[in-house]
Amino acid sequence: MADSPEAIKKSIRLYCIVGFILFLGTVITYLVATVPALDIGRHGFDVYDCILGLAIAATKAGFVLLIFMHFNHEKKAIYWMFASGIIMAIALAGLTALAIYNPIFDPLFYSGR
Amino acid sequence: MEIPYIVTPRKDTGLFNSKIAIWLFLASEVMLFGGFFSAYVFLRLGADFPWPERTLPVMPGLINTFVLIGSSVTVVFAWASLKLGNWRMFQLFMGITVACAGIFMVLKGIEYNVKFHHQAVRLPDFTVVEGHLAYEKDEKGYVLNHHGKKIEENMIFVEAKQLNFSTVRFHKPWVEEFISQAEHRNAKILLASDLNLVTEFGKPAVTIGKANEPLSVELLAKIKKAYLAARAHNAELRTDALRLAWREKKAEFPDKKDWELTRDVNVDASKLELLEEVSTVTFNVDPPAKFEFKPRDIKEDATSSRLRDDTVITGPLLPSPMVFHHMDAVDFRHLAMRAKAKGQDPIKAIDDSWLVQNNPFVKKAWEWNKLQVAKIEKELIDGYGRDEQGKPKREPIAKERYRLGWKEFAAIAEGKDRGDADIKMREEFLGPDYAKRGDETFPEFSLPREKVAFASKFTPTWNTYYALYFTITGLHGLHVIGGALVLAYYLFFGRKMFDENPEWLANRVEIGGLFWHFVDLVWIFVFPIFYLM
Amino acid sequence: MSSHPSTAHGPDAHHDDHHHNPGFLWKYVFSTDHKMIGIQYAITAMLFLAFGFYLMMVMRWSIAYPHQPLPEWMSFIFNDGWKARWLLDGKVTGETYNMFGAMHGTIMVFLGIVPLGFGAFGNYVTPLQIGAVDMAFPKLNMMSYWIYLAGGLVMCASFFMESGAAKSGWTNYSPLAGFADGQIVNQWLAGQTQWLIGLVLLITSSLLGSVNFITTIINLRARGMTWMRLPFFVWSMLVTAFLLLLAFPPLEAAGIMQLMDRVLHSSFFMPSGLYTGAQGLADLSGGGSPLLFQHLFWFLGHPEVYVLLLPAFACVAEIIPANTRKPLWGYKSMVYSVLVLGFLSFIVWAHHMYMTGMGAAVSTFFQTTTVLISIPSVVIITALLISLWGGSIRFTPPMLWACAFIPMFGIGGLTGLPLAFNLVGLHLHDTYYVIGHFHYVVAPGILFGFFAGVLHWYPKITGRYMNSSLNHLHFWPSLICMNLIFFPMLMQGMAGFHRRWYNGGDAYMAKTQDSANVFANTVAQHIDMNLIMSYGAWAMAFFQIFFIINLFTSWKFGRKVTSDNPWNATTLEWATPTPPGHGNFIDEPVVYRGPYEYSRPDHAEDFIPQWHKPVAVTAPVTDPKDPA
């Protein structure tokens, strides 16, 4: 990572901006979760809140990964290594959950639990 | 011999060794936390109890999120300072990073501590009561036990007349407890009868213990030794006898298969010189004394209780209520869930529950809640309207219908509506201020032992949600400590490296920083999942 | 000593201080040299294998003669106190059988085969074959070994405790594994708990090792060693390392959760309303899921079997070309197959769980991926088989084992195919058929591959050949005994024999000739096979003695090699002195061609090693994509 001093100085501005975005994202998550007026979907926690919360978290995580961890200009080999971890983690969580849900053949699944 | 590419990247891959290593390690960490998160998904979807949504106090988690994000920013600045050759700025930013880690762990420690001191109990009808336990008090003040400590009012009391220890399985610390407690009560534990055993085959019996000899670990150890020797001797004799019996039987019936002969091949114990095996030892308690036990250690019964190390305590069970100094929550959600599953009206089930019937405070609070729920329903209908079938578009959630948390108790005491109580910032971190709010807000509550179906503090034992919470945040906390140690190492001991080979140090700090960002990444998911969902 | 002009001297040079006179402790015990560590792994793993083998012999006694006391020759090593606790009148009890069974599986898989394949062969050969001076992180490598040893000792120490060792199957399913040994007041002294602690240590060791391997293979290849010039051995080790890296952590998570269930009384895997005979209604919150443990366990469990297998493929793939004087057939297909195999192995795990009541959609998904994964394995084994065709086969000692590997692993793999289908799995799950299948793969399959590897690289490590006659005395009886032991298992399994019966089926057998109980009759028809299998097992134990004798006597008295490349092989490890010194290569190795240049028509000699400079240069020596 032999960046020149000028490049690093420019990056510092970028880091500040991203840091601010992360703070903002946290505040937004907190407000959406606690302020009743901002409650989407059904009253209280439901699948829409879940998706929104995870989406905000994923966006924040994306910023940390891409900017702070320099993932945006990392080598392809590193992309593959880290991506394989994420893909397998999703496979684990997804297939394990699907084992108790049975979306294709179970008629009860669609009529609500 | 030098390993290449420790600092300088290799030309075709463009990477140096530790960079590859740290990303590989982070991929494995993704799988580790992925395993835990998939456990979370699985256990939450399959939970057979109402999942505690948004039960944790959010404030400590929120502040920790800001702290960790801030430390992520400063660690990048620290690395940038190193690349620019500025040691002072590196020290400053790295110092802030490590300090943030410290703040994070302190807040976490406070959170954990509050939970570990908070008690929860589930009644047989699935009502849940939460609060702080009382310490035993008499006219003079706190009662101290045989160790000089206060006694938390969640103990099982048995008036023991006789103790029966398992020779092999007795648990030494518990035996010492018995001796200590007996001394405290001015009672003696004495061997019930003479114990004469043959310890060595061929030699005469030895007196291992005399009647009325006091209980001691050494005595039990002696008996155990004799028992094990006898057991070993007997096993050897019986094995040889069985081998001989088989040989004889097979010689007698050479054509028969083994399974045909099995029933007839036996060890004739009367023909063998076996030693006596004393597997239990009885002691009398003189005079019968009151012993106290932790609920987890004992399976209590009206006349004869049993400890987990198979010690049998003969004697009547004394009243052993669980006493709350401050009850601060009542939760009917599980009861309501089960009532609905059986097709009953949950409101009626709660009205008829033991707690509402027998505790006027809870009855009053429950009636208050019914009015509050009606209010919320009206607000939601006014705000969001009804759908085509006439059903309200939004309804109060289970937590609003069936759970009275400490904030609701506070609202009741202040005469306000649900959600309108005056909560101080300190209380957002440490829980309700009992001293200030007083016993009228959070009353005393005594629960008879038969009404305790399952109890624990707010620890991994209480339910799978807390088990997951402590495991994941605990593991994350260990990663915070580990990362902070590595970064602190470069902060305090990096000067020499900085002078000799600044690029090497910058690489190391970059690797440490990558780990630190990963720790932040995990927290970014942990916070909403556990605190806000 | 090698010199690397591309590295700066400053940051890397400070390693030189220790290397001139390390002293016994640093040279042999806490060595950071990959070769010494490889040998440490090999010796430790073989000792654990022998121990696991012994446990199996006792189990086979219980199966063959369930009502008779253990004979003297098997029980003399136990002291009287131990026998009194664990044997009933000298007979193997169910509890003891379960304990031995669980530990046999654990020791063989985690303490035997993986360390031998990945830790021993991987560590010793991989840096040599890529032309590196050592692993990328030598100190980490040393720690990997010592953590492995610690984990193994922790697991085995529990045999001597009151609770005994773990006894809930090598798969350690909750809720049984959460409760077994629950009566021990101090849970940290319970065998089940220590199994989990040992497991966490082993996983840590594997993770550190896999990081090391992958970094080394990516970054420390010699000049000219492009990806497609890597020996298949190195590709196998690379995929194995990735499997360990990504598949082990969920098991670590499951292990931590089960540990918390035992010690902190959580209910991750404990369902509500659990009632046991010993403790009555469990004092737990409930709400947990035993199924979750199975998912997390098998998420590792399936890639784990490929971790067992790939090092054996690796060894055999090196030995066959060297002994047929022909290139490995289908090298490129084999490389792509092993990569696909690695990827697919992560998404097949629930074929171990067909009986758990998964929905049809998900079990069909796993059935499909499982059948798919047979394709790359078949490609690889077929390529190995075709590699023999038209070759000039020399039946050297390693070649005997490598040739036996192919049909034996073939049987193992083919018997796995019925198990892939969820419908057939319902019938065969937890029967001896499964045991027969996986033992065929591991015992006459993988272990034969490792014997081949030991014989193949022994001359490089010691400078002497192992004795061929002793090898014949080891090989032929082992081959026969393996089939005697495991083939009847396939038949018993289809007859319905359950895999965890401790009395060989005696309890279920029809005691009269005309019993109306069909199952009991079937058991009675197949129960005599137990005797053949048990005698086969004990005979096999005897014949391993020849291998042990061979291993030790050849060190001092074996026929000396006459060159650094006794097999006339082409891969880089044969370019080192014998044995390779610190730093491995005398001059920095440069690679000019692929790994299996045997019998080229345009060349006089029947092999061209990778490191020999080309004589007449007509094309660029190095790969244009790799200017290094």
Side-chain angles (χ1 to χ4, degrees):
Chain A
M1 307 264 64
D3 298 346
S4 63
E6 295 77 32
I8 292 189
K9 286 211 178 81
K10 261 198 262 182
S11 306
I12 290 179
R13 216 176 83 87
L14 180 63
Y15 298 145
C16 289
I17 295 174
V18 170
F20 176 73
I21 293 177
L22 292 173
F23 274 95
L24 203 61
T26 312
V27 171
I28 292 175
T29 314
Y30 174 71
L31 291 175
V32 167
T34 43
V35 173
L38 293 172
D39 193 358
I40 58 174
R42 296 204 313 270
H43 186 51
F45 179 68
D46 64 342
V47 70
Y48 299 107
D49 289 313
C50 181
I51 295 175
L52 180 62
L54 287 176
I56 299 178
T59 314
K60 284 161 69 182
F63 273 112
V64 172
L65 186 62
L66 289 171
I67 311 294
F68 285 168
M69 294 168 91
H70 319 299
F71 209 59
N72 56 353
H73 53 77
E74 209 30 282
K75 301 282 174 280
K76 240 187 14 173
I78 305 289
Y79 282 148
W80 278 113
M81 281 179 226
F82 196 69
S84 62
I86 307 234
I87 292 171
M88 288 311 167
I90 294 175
L92 170 63
L95 288 169
T96 311
L98 276 178
I100 47 173
Y101 271 148
N102 193 12
I104 298 183
F105 298 127
D106 179 3
L108 286 176
F109 177 79
Y110 296 105
S111 62
R113 295 199 319 143
Chain B
M1 175 205 94
E2 313 113 13
I3 311 274
Y5 312 123
I6 294 183
V7 182
T8 347
R10 181 183 158 113
K11 279 215 193 70
D12 60 344
T13 59
L15 299 161
F16 56 97
N17 295 345
S18 8
K19 173 155 282 201
I20 304 178
I22 191 70
W23 279 108
L24 289 171
F25 179 62
L26 292 182
S28 84
E29 293 273 272
V30 166
M31 291 309 296
L32 179 67
F33 283 101
F36 281 113
F37 281 117
S38 77
Y40 177 87
V41 170
F42 198 88
L43 288 175
R44 182 163 182 171
L45 290 179
D48 61 357
F49 64 99
W51 193 259
E53 291 170 4
R54 298 191 189 160
T55 341
L56 291 178
V58 178
M59 205 42 64
L62 186 64
I63 296 187
N64 268 348
T65 311
F66 288 132
V67 165
L68 222 50
I69 290 178
S71 74
S72 261
V73 175
T74 56
V75 81
V76 172
F77 286 164
W79 170 77
S81 308
L82 265 189
K83 293 292 275 191
L84 296 174
N86 192 334
W87 175 253
R88 281 252 148 261
M89 292 306 275
F90 163 73
Q91 277 189 310
L92 173 68
F93 285 119
M94 195 52 98
I96 298 177
T97 309
V98 176
C100 285
I103 297 172
F104 183 90
M105 291 314 295
V106 166
L107 279 175
K108 174 138 267 104
I110 295 175
E111 270 189 283
Y112 276 23
N113 197 38
V114 168
K115 290 184 179 54
F116 291 157
H117 284 103
H118 201 204
Q119 177 79 26
V121 60
R122 194 207 314 147
L123 279 61
D125 63 355
F126 293 93
T127 314
V128 168
V129 174
E130 301 167 18
H132 270 71
L133 290 177
Y135 287 106
E136 209 179 304
K137 258 180 156 162
D138 59 13
E139 325 78 48
K140 289 181 248 149
Y142 286 113
V143 175
L144 297 180
N145 67 3
H146 51 290
H147 291 304
K149 297 239 164 71
K150 292 193 280 199
I151 306 170
E152 207 177 41
E153 293 215 56
N154 184 20
M155 304 291 267
I156 310 275
F157 299 106
V158 178
E159 187 170 284
K161 297 199 183 78
Q162 231 181 37
L163 299 176
N164 200 296
F165 293 98
S166 157
T167 317
V168 173
R169 297 208 48 239
F170 71 88
H171 187 58
K172 217 174 81 163
W174 287 356
V175 173
E176 287 164 351
E177 261 294 301
F178 271 119
I179 299 171
S180 179
Q181 286 195 35
E183 218 181 282
H184 187 73
R185 307 241 183 252
N186 294 320
K188 293 203 209 312
I189 308 178
L190 307 168
L191 188 58
S193 51
D194 279 347
L195 207 50
N196 299 321
L197 293 173
V198 176
T199 49
E200 253 180 271
F201 180 66
K203 297 234 174 83
V206 167
T207 305
I208 304 219
K210 284 190 137 58
N212 293 327
E213 196 180 314
L215 170 67
S216 69
V217 174
E218 294 77 31
L219 174 60
L220 286 179
K222 266 198 287 184
I223 302 173
K224 180 175 178 178
K225 194 157 163 250
Y227 169 74
L228 289 178
R231 190 174 73 169
H233 169 86
N234 293 346
E236 204 187 329
L237 285 186
R238 291 182 67 104
T239 307
D240 290 337
L242 190 58
R243 283 211 187 102
L244 185 62
W246 268 104
R247 273 204 295 274
E248 287 174 349
K249 202 52 101 167
K250 282 208 230 191
E252 201 183 324
F253 300 102
D255 297 327
K256 278 204 173 175
K257 292 261 179 79
D258 285 350
W259 56 263
E260 289 172 300
L261 298 171
T262 310
R263 242 169 315 167
D264 303 322
V265 180
N266 298 311
V267 172
D268 189 356
S270 60
K271 294 225 178 77
L272 303 171
E273 288 182 52
L274 299 176
L275 295 176
E276 189 189 346
E277 291 180 25
V278 173
S279 60
T280 60
V281 190
T282 310
F283 287 80
N284 290 323
V285 183
D286 180 32
K290 175 173 147 184
F291 286 99
E292 61 200 34
F293 305 96
K294 293 212 198 78
R296 179 158 286 282
D297 296 337
I298 186 170
K299 247 201 156 49
E300 65 273 15
D301 177 77
T303 51
S304 155
S305 310
R306 185 182 209 103
L307 293 182
R308 270 194 300 134
D309 67 347
D310 283 344
T311 308
V312 178
I313 307 151
T314 313
L317 181 65
L318 299 173
S320 313
M322 180 188 275
V323 182
F324 285 85
H325 189 192
H326 295 290
M327 167 170 60
D328 66 20
V330 176
D331 198 332
F332 293 112
R333 278 179 297 177
H334 203 168
L335 193 158
M337 195 177 97
R338 294 198 156 235
K340 269 192 267 189
K342 281 190 267 198
Q344 295 167 358
D345 175 24
I347 308 285
K348 187 166 183 314
I350 299 171
D351 285 336
D352 293 340
S353 70
W354 178 88
L355 188 61
V356 170
Q357 295 281 313
N358 288 292
N359 190 310
F361 177 87
V362 173
K363 192 179 179 80
K364 202 170 75 97
W366 174 237
E367 294 302 325
W368 172 88
N369 197 48
K370 284 190 201 167
L371 298 173
Q372 292 294 315
V373 170
K375 244 190 198 160
I376 296 175
E377 277 176 333
K378 189 171 171 305
E379 272 173 25
L380 289 175
I381 292 177
D382 290 343
Y384 297 96
R386 294 178 189 273
D387 61 13
E388 299 90 50
Q389 281 95 21
K391 269 179 63 198
K393 281 217 183 121
R394 294 202 181 185
E395 290 187 309
I397 53 173
K399 218 164 96 170
E400 286 163 339
R401 286 189 201 275
Y402 306 119
R403 178 182 165 85
L404 292 151
W406 69 267
K407 291 189 180 166
E408 281 67 58
F409 279 34
I412 292 174
E414 289 173 17
K416 301 223 186 97
D417 278 339
R418 180 182 262 270
D420 289 343
D422 183 23
I423 309 289
K424 299 274 176 286
M425 181 52 75
R426 179 187 174 280
E427 289 178 314
E428 293 281 4
F429 283 88
L430 300 174
D433 190 346
Y434 296 117
K436 227 175 188 178
R437 294 189 183 270
D439 290 349
E440 311 77 46
T441 319
F442 300 111
E444 241 195 54
F445 174 60
S446 177
L447 190 60
R449 186 53 56 179
E450 318 80 68
K451 288 293 175 195
V452 173
F454 179 69
S456 96
K457 296 273 195 319
F458 278 85
T459 57
T461 316
W462 176 235
N463 56 31
T464 53
Y465 168 81
Y466 280 100
L468 279 164
Y469 167 77
F470 281 110
T471 312
I472 295 182
T473 58
L475 200 62
H476 178 262
L478 286 176
H479 280 73
V480 168
I481 294 175
L485 284 173
V486 170
L487 294 176
Y489 174 79
Y490 290 119
L491 172 63
F492 293 119
F493 301 108
R495 184 65 210 234
K496 190 160 169 281
M497 286 176 231
F498 179 74
D499 293 332
E500 286 174 5
N501 191 347
E503 206 191 317
W504 191 69
L505 179 65
N507 274 352
R508 289 284 167 275
V509 169
E510 185 187 356
I511 301 298
L514 281 175
F515 182 75
W516 190 253
H517 286 126
F518 179 76
V519 165
D520 184 29
L521 240 169
V522 172
W523 183 260
I524 285 175
F525 282 102
V526 167
F527 172 62
I529 288 177
F530 279 102
Y531 289 83
L532 302 177
M533 294 190 191
Chain C
M1 293 294 148
S2 58
S3 59
H4 287 263
S6 55
T7 64
H9 285 286
D12 304 328
H14 70 289
H15 294 277
D16 276 5
D17 314 10
H18 304 284
H19 292 169
H20 296 292
N21 195 8
F24 180 84
L25 212 61
W26 293 110
K27 191 166 172 205
Y28 290 107
V29 181
F30 294 110
S31 171
T32 55
D33 186 308
H34 71 101
K35 301 184 290 296
M36 186 55 62
I37 294 173
I39 294 175
Q40 287 177 320
Y41 265 111
I43 295 176
T44 313
M46 286 198 263
L47 285 172
F48 276 124
L49 281 175
F51 181 46
F53 198 104
Y54 173 75
L55 295 176
M56 175 273 294
M57 292 209 294
V58 174
M59 289 164 70
R60 288 256 36 121
W61 175 270
S62 179
I63 295 171
Y65 299 115
H67 305 286
Q68 299 179 38
L70 267 184
E72 278 289 346
W73 66 270
M74 259 199 249
S75 64
F76 73 94
I77 61 166
F78 302 125
N79 72 8
D80 287 338
W82 196 95
K83 281 192 269 199
R85 167 72 175 91
W86 292 105
L87 303 174
L88 178 63
D89 300 341
K91 293 178 284 195
V92 179
T93 58
E95 193 188 7
T96 307
Y97 181 90
N98 284 342
M99 181 169 75
F100 278 29
M103 293 310 288
H104 166 78
T106 308
I107 290 172
M108 290 306 211
V109 171
F110 290 114
L111 303 181
I113 301 282
V114 174
L116 186 57
F118 188 67
F121 284 109
N123 256 312
Y124 198 100
V125 177
T126 311
L128 297 177
Q129 277 196 344
I130 64 175
V133 296
D134 203 317
M135 285 287 191
F137 305 108
K139 287 204 200 85
L140 212 63
N141 208 8
M142 174 192 71
M143 277 174 56
S144 287
Y145 171 72
W146 284 100
I147 296 177
Y148 151 64
L149 184 63
L153 290 176
V154 165
M155 272 197 180
C156 293
S158 51
F159 271 107
F160 302 104
M161 293 183 179
E162 171 63 28
S163 66
K167 53 186 74 66
S168 310
W170 84 279
T171 51
N172 222 50
Y173 283 174
S174 279
L176 180 63
F179 269 109
D181 298 342
Q183 75 278 15
I184 307 288
V185 179
N186 183 357
Q187 270 302 297
W188 298 104
L189 294 178
Q192 289 285 159
T193 311
Q194 294 184 334
W195 190 93
L196 293 168
I197 296 171
L199 190 73
V200 170
L201 288 170
L202 291 174
I203 295 176
T204 309
S205 156
S206 289
L207 285 176
L208 295 178
S210 50
V211 167
N212 222 339
F213 268 72
I214 299 175
T215 310
T216 307
I217 294 173
I218 291 179
N219 240 27
L220 294 187
R221 284 167 292 135
R223 272 203 307 148
M225 180 62 88
T226 61
W227 287 102
M228 282 323 227
R229 287 181 182 173
L230 280 174
F232 185 73
F233 184 98
V234 181
W235 278 110
S236 282
M237 290 300 169
L238 181 67
V239 176
T240 308
F242 263 108
L243 293 180
L244 287 171
L245 184 79
L246 296 177
F248 253 134
L251 180 62
E252 181 153 31
I256 292 174
M257 289 194 272
Q258 202 177 68
L259 195 60
M260 291 184 69
D261 274 0
R262 293 188 66 85
V263 174
L264 296 178
H265 315 292
S266 56
S267 299
F268 283 111
F269 306 125
M270 300 299 190
S272 306
L274 195 57
Y275 192 96
T276 60
Q279 300 172 32
L281 189 64
D283 189 12
L284 296 169
S285 70
S289 172
L291 211 51
L292 176 63
F293 181 83
Q294 293 190 27
H295 278 291
L296 292 173
F297 179 88
W298 286 114
F299 186 84
L300 164 84
H302 196 83
E304 174 72 12
V305 312
Y306 291 102
V307 168
L308 303 175
L309 174 64
L310 292 183
F313 270 160
C315 292
V316 171
E318 294 308 305
I319 292 164
I320 287 184
N323 289 295
T324 55
R325 315 310 294 165
K326 261 187 79 202
L328 197 62
W329 191 91
Y331 168 79
K332 231 179 179 174
S333 320
M334 285 176 76
V335 170
Y336 289 129
S337 292
V338 83
L339 292 171
V340 168
L341 186 76
F343 170 73
L344 280 178
S345 71
F346 282 102
I347 48 177
V348 296
W349 79 84
H351 64 235
H352 299 272
M353 297 167 59
Y354 283 140
M355 294 277 270
T356 57
M358 285 184 284
V362 135
S363 71
T364 308
F365 170 82
F366 282 111
Q367 178 181 278
T368 312
T369 50
T370 307
V371 173
L372 274 177
I373 205 177
S374 66
I375 297 176
S377 330
V378 169
V379 168
I380 296 176
I381 196 73
T382 312
L384 289 174
L385 185 63
I386 298 180
S387 301
L388 297 171
W389 180 265
S392 168
I393 303 182
R394 345 181 271 204
F395 283 104
T396 56
M399 191 57 169
L400 279 178
W401 293 96
C403 288
F405 169 86
I406 296 176
M408 293 293 103
F409 174 76
I411 296 179
L414 288 172
T415 52
L417 274 178
L419 294 170
F421 298 99
N422 54 17
L423 192 60
V424 182
L426 290 183
H427 179 71
L428 294 176
H429 178 75
D430 266 356
T431 61
Y432 259 93
Y433 183 88
V434 177
I435 301 195
H437 153 68
F438 70 70
H439 276 96
Y440 253 106
V441 180
V442 180
I446 294 171
L447 208 52
F448 278 21
F450 288 158
F451 282 135
V454 170
L455 288 155
H456 183 68
W457 279 297
Y458 195 90
K460 175 50 68 178
I461 303 174
T462 61
R464 293 174 189 268
Y465 293 99
M466 284 178 79
N467 184 288
S468 180
S469 317
L470 282 173
N471 182 53
H472 280 291
L473 274 173
H474 177 214
F475 173 73
W476 295 104
S478 293
L479 183 61
I480 296 169
C481 286
M482 286 286 193
N483 285 285
L484 278 180
I485 303 171
F486 299 117
F487 200 82
M489 283 192 186
L490 299 171
M491 297 193 278
Q492 278 192 338
M494 286 197 267
F497 276 59
H498 190 276
R499 72 186 272 179
R500 295 208 164 114
W501 285 346
Y502 79 99
N503 49 25
D506 200 357
Y508 295 90
M509 195 174 59
K511 299 288 199 272
T512 58
Q513 289 287 43
D514 54 353
S515 162
N517 184 337
V518 175
F519 180 61
N521 281 330
T522 317
V523 172
Q525 282 162 18
H526 292 82
I527 202 167
D528 285 330
M529 289 187 205
N530 282 335
L531 288 165
I532 305 172
M533 296 196 276
S534 292
Y535 280 105
W538 299 326
M540 208 173 86
F542 172 73
F543 286 106
Q544 303 315 299
I545 296 175
F546 293 110
F547 173 71
I548 299 171
I549 296 176
N550 201 352
L551 200 61
F552 285 107
T553 56
S554 303
W555 201 293
K556 284 281 170 234
F557 305 113
R559 180 168 55 102
K560 282 209 184 126
V561 299
T562 48
S563 85
D564 281 334
N565 189 357
W567 306 115
N568 285 336
T570 53
T571 43
L572 265 182
E573 74 265 34
W574 305 105
T576 56
T578 306
H582 200 49
N584 296 337
F585 298 90
I586 297 179
D587 302 308
E588 184 197 342
V590 181
V591 172
Y592 298 97
R593 59 189 63 78
Y596 303 114
E597 296 292 324
Y598 291 99
S599 302
R600 279 185 71 101
D602 58 357
H603 204 81
E605 270 211 270
D606 75 338
F607 75 111
I608 318 174
Q610 281 190 290
W611 67 91
H612 276 191
K613 267 208 179 84
V615 177
V617 179
T618 51
V621 163
T622 53
D623 188 335
K625 283 202 283 283
D626 170 30

